[in-house]
Amino acid sequence: VDGGDALVSLEGVFDFTDVTATPKLIDGLTALICSPPIRKNVTVKNNGTVATVVDISDTRAPLGFSVNPKTVNLAVGGQQVVNIDIDPKMLPPNKVTSAQFFFQDRLCGDVDTVTVVIDVGEMPTLEINPNPLDVPEILQGTTSSDKVTLKNSSMYDLFIRNVRLQQVRPHWSILTPLMGTQINSGESVTADVEYAPIVPGQDSAV
């Protein structure tokens, strides 16, 4: 238009990505070095206005941490659960270990982070007293009975799953049934053992 102004109305749509991973912190995990693997879930959600692909990285996670899957496709409003696995036996005992996982949107490069913290304790053991158990010399065909105390000095409650004797000759016996016994932290149980040699000689057992 000569000598005048013209107004042009422009309209557009602004698309954006907004990827979030929750929870942001997985804390308070405890395990023993002998504990089975632990699995925790993280939910990845696309709060944006366009579909996207999210890459998940565990490059800053120590050995013993892993994530699966490492890539997720998210529609608008879509979400997916990702598994974070922790193997305590791969982590240092008596130490708190942390790991970071990065969730990066491919379109805009935005990153969200999840931190996992776990306290791994060493494998607890039972204190056995007396150890070793020395039996005085006895005659062939006779028996000697003694008591052995098993004390749980760890901070964990322990459960006896199996008891076995390693011996060359079957002269030793554990008379007290211990399998299935739970020994709580700070507590003890007493077991009766018997030595009954049927042939002469020196015997030992573990």
Side-chain angles (χ1 to χ4, degrees):
V1 180
D2 293 336
D5 295 326
L7 298 177
V8 178
S9 177
L10 299 176
E11 293 184 0
V13 176
F14 173 70
D15 285 323
F16 65 95
T17 58
D18 179 17
V19 173
T20 57
T22 54
K24 294 287 185 290
L25 175 64
I26 301 175
D27 197 3
L29 300 179
T30 58
L32 297 176
I33 197 72
C34 58
S35 297
I38 300 170
R39 170 166 287 184
K40 291 297 179 179
N41 296 328
V42 172
T43 301
V44 189
K45 185 176 182 181
N46 181 9
N47 303 298
T49 60
V50 62
T52 189
V53 178
V54 178
D55 294 314
I56 307 163
S57 171
D58 56 2
T59 56
R60 294 190 184 179
L63 187 65
F65 291 87
S66 60
V67 62
N68 184 54
K70 292 184 179 294
T71 301
V72 294
N73 296 280
L74 297 178
V76 176
Q79 65 181 32
Q80 185 169 333
V81 174
V82 172
N83 300 319
I84 293 179
D85 294 316
I86 311 157
D87 191 349
K89 70 176 180 291
M90 302 292 291
L91 302 175
N94 295 326
K95 184 179 179 181
V96 177
T97 304
S98 62
Q100 282 189 317
F101 298 86
F102 300 92
F103 298 75
Q104 185 171 26
D105 158 43
R106 282 189 188 178
L107 289 180
C108 297
D110 295 333
V111 177
D112 202 4
T113 305
V114 171
T115 302
V116 182
V117 182
I118 183 170
D119 185 359
V120 178
E122 66 181 352
M123 184 181 298
T125 57
L126 291 172
E127 295 181 8
I128 302 176
N129 187 44
N131 186 18
L133 172 63
D134 292 323
V135 177
E137 184 176 338
I138 63 174
L139 296 176
Q140 176 183 342
T142 62
T143 61
S144 175
S145 298
D146 289 276
K147 293 184 181 295
V148 174
T149 300
L150 290 79
K151 183 178 180 180
N152 178 9
S153 300
S154 74
M155 60 182 295
Y156 305 96
D157 296 338
L158 301 180
F159 182 83
I160 300 178
R161 294 184 177 179
N162 188 33
V163 178
R164 60 189 176 91
L165 278 172
Q166 291 181 341
Q167 53 186 334
V168 176
R169 293 177 290 192
H171 293 172
W172 294 87
S173 301
I174 300 176
L175 304 180
T176 304
L178 294 173
M179 290 180 59
T181 301
Q182 178 170 314
I183 309 178
N184 295 329
S185 176
E187 296 185 355
S188 303
V189 297
T190 301
D192 293 318
V193 296
E194 184 180 77
Y195 177 55
I198 57 177
V199 295
Q202 187 173 9
D203 291 303
S204 63
V206 179

Short mmCIF file of all heavy atoms in Angstrom, two decimals, residues 25-82:
data_model
loop_
_atom_site.label_atom_id
_atom_site.label_comp_id
_atom_site.label_asym_id
_atom_site.label_seq_id
_atom_site.Cartn_x
_atom_site.Cartn_y
_atom_site.Cartn_z
N LEU A 25 16.75 -39.07 43.42
CA LEU A 25 17.70 -39.66 44.35
C LEU A 25 17.16 -40.98 44.88
O LEU A 25 16.04 -41.05 45.38
CB LEU A 25 17.98 -38.70 45.52
CG LEU A 25 18.88 -39.23 46.64
CD1 LEU A 25 20.29 -39.50 46.13
CD2 LEU A 25 18.91 -38.24 47.81
N ILE A 26 17.96 -42.02 44.74
CA ILE A 26 17.65 -43.33 45.34
C ILE A 26 18.66 -43.53 46.45
O ILE A 26 19.83 -43.84 46.20
CB ILE A 26 17.71 -44.46 44.30
CG1 ILE A 26 16.72 -44.18 43.16
CG2 ILE A 26 17.42 -45.80 44.95
CD1 ILE A 26 16.80 -45.19 42.02
N ASP A 27 18.22 -43.33 47.67
CA ASP A 27 19.14 -43.31 48.82
C ASP A 27 18.64 -44.31 49.87
O ASP A 27 17.55 -44.86 49.77
CB ASP A 27 19.19 -41.90 49.40
CG ASP A 27 20.40 -41.69 50.29
OD1 ASP A 27 21.20 -42.62 50.41
OD2 ASP A 27 20.53 -40.59 50.87
N GLY A 28 19.47 -44.50 50.89
CA GLY A 28 19.08 -45.37 52.00
C GLY A 28 19.20 -46.84 51.72
O GLY A 28 18.70 -47.67 52.48
N LEU A 29 19.88 -47.22 50.63
CA LEU A 29 20.06 -48.64 50.32
C LEU A 29 21.20 -49.22 51.15
O LEU A 29 22.27 -48.63 51.26
CB LEU A 29 20.36 -48.82 48.83
CG LEU A 29 19.31 -48.33 47.84
CD1 LEU A 29 19.80 -48.56 46.41
CD2 LEU A 29 17.99 -49.03 48.07
N THR A 30 20.97 -50.38 51.73
CA THR A 30 22.02 -51.09 52.46
C THR A 30 22.05 -52.54 52.00
O THR A 30 21.02 -53.11 51.66
CB THR A 30 21.78 -51.04 53.98
OG1 THR A 30 20.50 -51.63 54.28
CG2 THR A 30 21.81 -49.61 54.50
N ALA A 31 23.23 -53.12 51.98
CA ALA A 31 23.38 -54.50 51.57
C ALA A 31 24.67 -55.06 52.12
O ALA A 31 25.57 -54.32 52.53
CB ALA A 31 23.38 -54.61 50.04
N LEU A 32 24.76 -56.37 52.15
CA LEU A 32 26.00 -57.05 52.48
C LEU A 32 26.73 -57.39 51.19
O LEU A 32 26.13 -57.46 50.12
CB LEU A 32 25.72 -58.33 53.28
CG LEU A 32 25.06 -58.15 54.65
CD1 LEU A 32 24.76 -59.50 55.27
CD2 LEU A 32 25.93 -57.32 55.57
N ILE A 33 28.02 -57.65 51.31
CA ILE A 33 28.80 -57.98 50.14
C ILE A 33 28.31 -59.28 49.49
O ILE A 33 28.52 -59.53 48.31
CB ILE A 33 30.30 -58.08 50.52
CG1 ILE A 33 31.18 -58.01 49.28
CG2 ILE A 33 30.56 -59.34 51.33
CD1 ILE A 33 31.25 -56.67 48.65
N CYS A 34 27.60 -60.10 50.28
CA CYS A 34 27.08 -61.37 49.76
C CYS A 34 25.61 -61.29 49.36
O CYS A 34 25.01 -62.30 49.00
CB CYS A 34 27.26 -62.46 50.81
SG CYS A 34 26.47 -62.10 52.41
N SER A 35 25.02 -60.11 49.44
CA SER A 35 23.61 -59.96 49.11
C SER A 35 23.35 -60.13 47.61
O SER A 35 24.23 -59.86 46.79
CB SER A 35 23.11 -58.58 49.55
OG SER A 35 23.20 -58.42 50.94
N PRO A 36 22.16 -60.58 47.25
CA PRO A 36 21.83 -60.70 45.82
C PRO A 36 21.68 -59.32 45.19
O PRO A 36 21.55 -58.31 45.89
CB PRO A 36 20.49 -61.45 45.83
CG PRO A 36 19.89 -61.15 47.18
CD PRO A 36 21.06 -61.03 48.12
N PRO A 37 21.72 -59.26 43.86
CA PRO A 37 21.57 -57.97 43.16
C PRO A 37 20.27 -57.26 43.54
O PRO A 37 19.26 -57.89 43.83
CB PRO A 37 21.59 -58.36 41.68
CG PRO A 37 22.37 -59.64 41.64
CD PRO A 37 22.00 -60.36 42.91
N ILE A 38 20.32 -55.94 43.53
CA ILE A 38 19.18 -55.09 43.86
C ILE A 38 18.74 -54.36 42.60
O ILE A 38 19.57 -53.86 41.85
CB ILE A 38 19.57 -54.08 44.96
CG1 ILE A 38 20.01 -54.80 46.23
CG2 ILE A 38 18.40 -53.13 45.26
CD1 ILE A 38 20.63 -53.88 47.26
N ARG A 39 17.44 -54.29 42.38
CA ARG A 39 16.90 -53.57 41.22
C ARG A 39 16.00 -52.43 41.69
O ARG A 39 15.10 -52.62 42.53
CB ARG A 39 16.13 -54.51 40.30
CG ARG A 39 15.34 -53.80 39.20
CD ARG A 39 14.89 -54.75 38.12
NE ARG A 39 16.03 -55.16 37.29
CZ ARG A 39 15.90 -55.94 36.21
NH1 ARG A 39 14.71 -56.40 35.86
NH2 ARG A 39 16.96 -56.27 35.51
N LYS A 40 16.25 -51.26 41.15
CA LYS A 40 15.43 -50.10 41.42
C LYS A 40 14.91 -49.54 40.10
O LYS A 40 15.58 -49.63 39.06
CB LYS A 40 16.22 -49.02 42.16
CG LYS A 40 16.57 -49.41 43.60
CD LYS A 40 15.30 -49.58 44.42
CE LYS A 40 15.60 -49.98 45.84
NZ LYS A 40 14.36 -50.14 46.66
N ASN A 41 13.71 -48.95 40.14
CA ASN A 41 13.08 -48.44 38.92
C ASN A 41 13.10 -46.91 38.88
O ASN A 41 12.91 -46.25 39.90
CB ASN A 41 11.62 -48.92 38.84
CG ASN A 41 11.54 -50.43 38.70
OD1 ASN A 41 12.41 -51.05 38.11
ND2 ASN A 41 10.49 -51.02 39.25
N VAL A 42 13.34 -46.40 37.69
CA VAL A 42 13.28 -44.97 37.43
C VAL A 42 12.29 -44.74 36.29
O VAL A 42 12.33 -45.45 35.28
CB VAL A 42 14.66 -44.40 37.05
CG1 VAL A 42 14.54 -42.95 36.59
CG2 VAL A 42 15.62 -44.51 38.21
N THR A 43 11.39 -43.77 36.44
CA THR A 43 10.41 -43.46 35.41
C THR A 43 10.87 -42.26 34.60
O THR A 43 11.14 -41.19 35.16
CB THR A 43 9.03 -43.18 36.03
OG1 THR A 43 8.60 -44.33 36.77
CG2 THR A 43 8.01 -42.87 34.95
N VAL A 44 10.98 -42.47 33.29
CA VAL A 44 11.38 -41.38 32.38
C VAL A 44 10.11 -40.90 31.66
O VAL A 44 9.38 -41.71 31.06
CB VAL A 44 12.41 -41.86 31.35
CG1 VAL A 44 12.95 -40.68 30.56
CG2 VAL A 44 13.54 -42.61 32.03
N LYS A 45 9.85 -39.59 31.70
CA LYS A 45 8.62 -39.04 31.13
C LYS A 45 8.92 -37.87 30.21
O LYS A 45 9.80 -37.06 30.48
CB LYS A 45 7.67 -38.59 32.25
CG LYS A 45 6.31 -38.13 31.74
CD LYS A 45 5.37 -37.80 32.89
CE LYS A 45 4.00 -37.38 32.37
NZ LYS A 45 3.08 -37.02 33.46
N ASN A 46 8.17 -37.82 29.11
CA ASN A 46 8.27 -36.72 28.17
C ASN A 46 7.13 -35.74 28.44
O ASN A 46 5.97 -35.99 28.09
CB ASN A 46 8.19 -37.24 26.73
CG ASN A 46 8.30 -36.14 25.70
OD1 ASN A 46 8.60 -35.00 26.03
ND2 ASN A 46 8.05 -36.47 24.44
N ASN A 47 7.46 -34.61 29.05
CA ASN A 47 6.47 -33.57 29.35
C ASN A 47 6.39 -32.51 28.26
O ASN A 47 5.65 -31.53 28.41
CB ASN A 47 6.82 -32.90 30.69
CG ASN A 47 6.92 -33.88 31.83
OD1 ASN A 47 5.95 -34.55 32.18
ND2 ASN A 47 8.10 -34.00 32.41
N GLY A 48 7.14 -32.70 27.18
CA GLY A 48 7.17 -31.70 26.13
C GLY A 48 6.05 -31.85 25.12
O GLY A 48 5.09 -32.60 25.32
N THR A 49 6.20 -31.14 23.98
CA THR A 49 5.16 -31.12 22.96
C THR A 49 5.57 -31.85 21.69
O THR A 49 4.88 -31.78 20.68
CB THR A 49 4.81 -29.66 22.60
OG1 THR A 49 5.98 -29.00 22.11
CG2 THR A 49 4.27 -28.92 23.83
N VAL A 50 6.71 -32.55 21.74
CA VAL A 50 7.19 -33.28 20.59
C VAL A 50 7.82 -34.58 21.06
O VAL A 50 8.42 -34.66 22.13
CB VAL A 50 8.21 -32.43 19.79
CG1 VAL A 50 9.42 -32.10 20.64
CG2 VAL A 50 8.63 -33.13 18.51
N ALA A 51 7.64 -35.62 20.25
CA ALA A 51 8.23 -36.91 20.58
C ALA A 51 9.75 -36.82 20.54
O ALA A 51 10.33 -36.03 19.81
CB ALA A 51 7.73 -37.98 19.61
N THR A 52 10.40 -37.65 21.34
CA THR A 52 11.86 -37.60 21.39
C THR A 52 12.43 -38.95 21.77
O THR A 52 11.71 -39.87 22.16
CB THR A 52 12.32 -36.53 22.41
OG1 THR A 52 13.73 -36.36 22.30
CG2 THR A 52 11.97 -36.95 23.83
N VAL A 53 13.73 -39.04 21.65
CA VAL A 53 14.49 -40.23 22.06
C VAL A 53 15.41 -39.82 23.20
O VAL A 53 16.04 -38.76 23.16
CB VAL A 53 15.31 -40.81 20.89
CG1 VAL A 53 16.13 -42.01 21.35
CG2 VAL A 53 14.40 -41.20 19.74
N VAL A 54 15.49 -40.67 24.23
CA VAL A 54 16.31 -40.37 25.39
C VAL A 54 17.41 -41.42 25.49
O VAL A 54 17.14 -42.62 25.49
CB VAL A 54 15.48 -40.35 26.69
CG1 VAL A 54 16.37 -40.08 27.90
CG2 VAL A 54 14.38 -39.31 26.60
N ASP A 55 18.65 -40.94 25.56
CA ASP A 55 19.80 -41.82 25.77
C ASP A 55 20.17 -41.80 27.25
O ASP A 55 20.25 -40.73 27.86
CB ASP A 55 21.00 -41.36 24.94
CG ASP A 55 20.74 -41.49 23.44
OD1 ASP A 55 20.24 -42.55 23.02
OD2 ASP A 55 21.00 -40.51 22.70
N ILE A 56 20.45 -42.99 27.79
CA ILE A 56 20.75 -43.11 29.22
C ILE A 56 22.18 -43.60 29.37
O ILE A 56 22.55 -44.63 28.82
CB ILE A 56 19.77 -44.08 29.91
CG1 ILE A 56 18.32 -43.65 29.61
CG2 ILE A 56 20.02 -44.12 31.40
CD1 ILE A 56 17.30 -44.71 29.87
N SER A 57 22.97 -42.84 30.11
CA SER A 57 24.39 -43.14 30.24
C SER A 57 24.74 -43.48 31.69
O SER A 57 24.26 -42.83 32.63
CB SER A 57 25.23 -41.95 29.78
OG SER A 57 26.59 -42.13 30.08
N ASP A 58 25.59 -44.51 31.85
CA ASP A 58 26.10 -44.86 33.17
C ASP A 58 27.63 -44.78 33.20
O ASP A 58 28.30 -45.50 33.94
CB ASP A 58 25.64 -46.26 33.59
CG ASP A 58 26.04 -47.34 32.58
OD1 ASP A 58 26.71 -46.99 31.59
OD2 ASP A 58 25.71 -48.52 32.79
N THR A 59 28.18 -43.90 32.38
CA THR A 59 29.64 -43.79 32.27
C THR A 59 30.29 -43.35 33.56
O THR A 59 31.48 -43.60 33.77
CB THR A 59 30.03 -42.82 31.14
OG1 THR A 59 29.40 -41.55 31.37
CG2 THR A 59 29.57 -43.37 29.79
N ARG A 60 29.56 -42.66 34.43
CA ARG A 60 30.11 -42.23 35.70
C ARG A 60 29.68 -43.12 36.86
O ARG A 60 29.82 -42.75 38.01
CB ARG A 60 29.71 -40.78 35.99
CG ARG A 60 30.32 -39.78 35.01
CD ARG A 60 30.09 -38.35 35.48
NE ARG A 60 30.58 -37.38 34.52
CZ ARG A 60 30.49 -36.07 34.67
NH1 ARG A 60 29.91 -35.58 35.76
NH2 ARG A 60 30.94 -35.25 33.75
N ALA A 61 29.17 -44.29 36.53
CA ALA A 61 28.76 -45.25 37.56
C ALA A 61 29.87 -46.28 37.77
O ALA A 61 30.42 -46.80 36.80
CB ALA A 61 27.46 -45.94 37.16
N PRO A 62 30.24 -46.58 39.01
CA PRO A 62 31.27 -47.58 39.25
C PRO A 62 30.83 -48.97 38.78
O PRO A 62 29.64 -49.23 38.57
CB PRO A 62 31.43 -47.55 40.78
CG PRO A 62 30.82 -46.27 41.23
CD PRO A 62 29.74 -45.97 40.24
N LEU A 63 31.81 -49.86 38.61
CA LEU A 63 31.50 -51.24 38.29
C LEU A 63 30.61 -51.82 39.38
O LEU A 63 30.89 -51.70 40.56
CB LEU A 63 32.80 -52.04 38.18
CG LEU A 63 32.67 -53.48 37.68
CD1 LEU A 63 32.18 -53.50 36.25
CD2 LEU A 63 34.02 -54.19 37.81
N GLY A 64 29.54 -52.46 38.98
CA GLY A 64 28.55 -52.96 39.93
C GLY A 64 27.20 -52.30 39.75
O GLY A 64 26.18 -52.78 40.24
N PHE A 65 27.17 -51.17 39.01
CA PHE A 65 25.93 -50.49 38.66
C PHE A 65 25.68 -50.66 37.15
O PHE A 65 26.61 -50.59 36.35
CB PHE A 65 26.01 -48.99 38.96
CG PHE A 65 26.04 -48.65 40.42
CD1 PHE A 65 27.25 -48.60 41.10
CD2 PHE A 65 24.88 -48.36 41.12
CE1 PHE A 65 27.31 -48.26 42.44
CE2 PHE A 65 24.92 -48.03 42.45
CZ PHE A 65 26.14 -47.98 43.12
N SER A 66 24.43 -50.83 36.77
CA SER A 66 24.09 -50.90 35.35
C SER A 66 22.66 -50.41 35.15
O SER A 66 21.87 -50.37 36.09
CB SER A 66 24.23 -52.34 34.82
OG SER A 66 23.36 -53.22 35.51
N VAL A 67 22.35 -50.01 33.92
CA VAL A 67 21.02 -49.51 33.60
C VAL A 67 20.53 -50.20 32.33
O VAL A 67 21.30 -50.50 31.42
CB VAL A 67 21.04 -47.97 33.42
CG1 VAL A 67 21.94 -47.57 32.27
CG2 VAL A 67 19.64 -47.42 33.23
N ASN A 68 19.24 -50.46 32.29
CA ASN A 68 18.64 -51.13 31.14
C ASN A 68 17.16 -50.72 31.02
O ASN A 68 16.44 -50.76 32.00
CB ASN A 68 18.75 -52.64 31.30
CG ASN A 68 18.24 -53.39 30.09
OD1 ASN A 68 18.65 -53.16 28.98
ND2 ASN A 68 17.29 -54.29 30.33
N PRO A 69 16.72 -50.30 29.82
CA PRO A 69 17.48 -50.13 28.58
C PRO A 69 18.29 -48.83 28.61
O PRO A 69 18.10 -47.99 29.48
CB PRO A 69 16.39 -50.07 27.52
CG PRO A 69 15.23 -49.45 28.23
CD PRO A 69 15.29 -49.99 29.64
N LYS A 70 19.16 -48.67 27.63
CA LYS A 70 19.98 -47.48 27.54
C LYS A 70 19.40 -46.43 26.59
O LYS A 70 19.93 -45.32 26.49
CB LYS A 70 21.41 -47.84 27.10
CG LYS A 70 22.18 -48.65 28.15
CD LYS A 70 23.59 -48.90 27.71
CE LYS A 70 24.38 -49.69 28.76
NZ LYS A 70 24.58 -48.92 29.99
N THR A 71 18.32 -46.78 25.90
CA THR A 71 17.65 -45.84 25.00
C THR A 71 16.15 -46.08 25.09
O THR A 71 15.69 -47.23 25.09
CB THR A 71 18.10 -46.04 23.54
OG1 THR A 71 19.52 -45.85 23.46
CG2 THR A 71 17.43 -45.03 22.63
N VAL A 72 15.38 -44.99 25.19
CA VAL A 72 13.92 -45.10 25.20
C VAL A 72 13.33 -44.10 24.22
O VAL A 72 13.85 -42.99 24.05
CB VAL A 72 13.34 -44.86 26.61
CG1 VAL A 72 13.77 -45.96 27.56
CG2 VAL A 72 13.75 -43.51 27.17
N ASN A 73 12.26 -44.50 23.55
CA ASN A 73 11.52 -43.63 22.64
C ASN A 73 10.25 -43.18 23.34
O ASN A 73 9.45 -44.02 23.78
CB ASN A 73 11.17 -44.38 21.35
CG ASN A 73 12.41 -44.77 20.57
OD1 ASN A 73 12.99 -43.96 19.86
ND2 ASN A 73 12.82 -46.03 20.70
N LEU A 74 10.07 -41.88 23.43
CA LEU A 74 8.94 -41.34 24.17
C LEU A 74 8.07 -40.47 23.28
O LEU A 74 8.54 -39.49 22.70
CB LEU A 74 9.42 -40.52 25.37
CG LEU A 74 10.20 -41.27 26.46
CD1 LEU A 74 10.65 -40.30 27.55
CD2 LEU A 74 9.35 -42.38 27.07
N ALA A 75 6.81 -40.83 23.20
CA ALA A 75 5.83 -39.98 22.52
C ALA A 75 5.49 -38.80 23.43
O ALA A 75 5.91 -38.75 24.59
CB ALA A 75 4.58 -40.80 22.19
N VAL A 76 4.73 -37.87 22.92
CA VAL A 76 4.30 -36.73 23.73
C VAL A 76 3.47 -37.25 24.90
O VAL A 76 2.51 -37.99 24.72
CB VAL A 76 3.48 -35.74 22.90
CG1 VAL A 76 2.94 -34.61 23.78
CG2 VAL A 76 4.32 -35.17 21.76
N GLY A 77 3.88 -36.92 26.11
CA GLY A 77 3.18 -37.40 27.30
C GLY A 77 3.52 -38.82 27.68
O GLY A 77 3.01 -39.34 28.67
N GLY A 78 4.38 -39.45 26.89
CA GLY A 78 4.72 -40.85 27.17
C GLY A 78 5.74 -41.00 28.29
O GLY A 78 6.48 -40.08 28.63
N GLN A 79 5.77 -42.19 28.86
CA GLN A 79 6.74 -42.48 29.91
C GLN A 79 7.14 -43.95 29.84
O GLN A 79 6.41 -44.77 29.28
CB GLN A 79 6.18 -42.15 31.30
CG GLN A 79 4.99 -42.99 31.73
CD GLN A 79 4.47 -42.57 33.10
OE1 GLN A 79 4.53 -41.40 33.49
NE2 GLN A 79 3.97 -43.54 33.84
N GLN A 80 8.29 -44.26 30.39
CA GLN A 80 8.79 -45.62 30.40
C GLN A 80 9.62 -45.85 31.65
O GLN A 80 10.32 -44.95 32.13
CB GLN A 80 9.62 -45.91 29.16
CG GLN A 80 10.08 -47.37 29.06
CD GLN A 80 10.68 -47.70 27.71
OE1 GLN A 80 10.35 -47.06 26.70
NE2 GLN A 80 11.56 -48.69 27.67
N VAL A 81 9.54 -47.09 32.16
CA VAL A 81 10.31 -47.46 33.35
C VAL A 81 11.66 -48.02 32.92
O VAL A 81 11.75 -48.86 32.04
CB VAL A 81 9.55 -48.50 34.20
CG1 VAL A 81 10.42 -49.00 35.35
CG2 VAL A 81 8.27 -47.89 34.75
N VAL A 82 12.71 -47.53 33.57
CA VAL A 82 14.08 -47.98 33.32
C VAL A 82 14.59 -48.68 34.59
O VAL A 82 14.34 -48.21 35.70
CB VAL A 82 14.98 -46.79 32.96
CG1 VAL A 82 16.44 -47.21 32.88
CG2 VAL A 82 14.53 -46.17 31.65
#
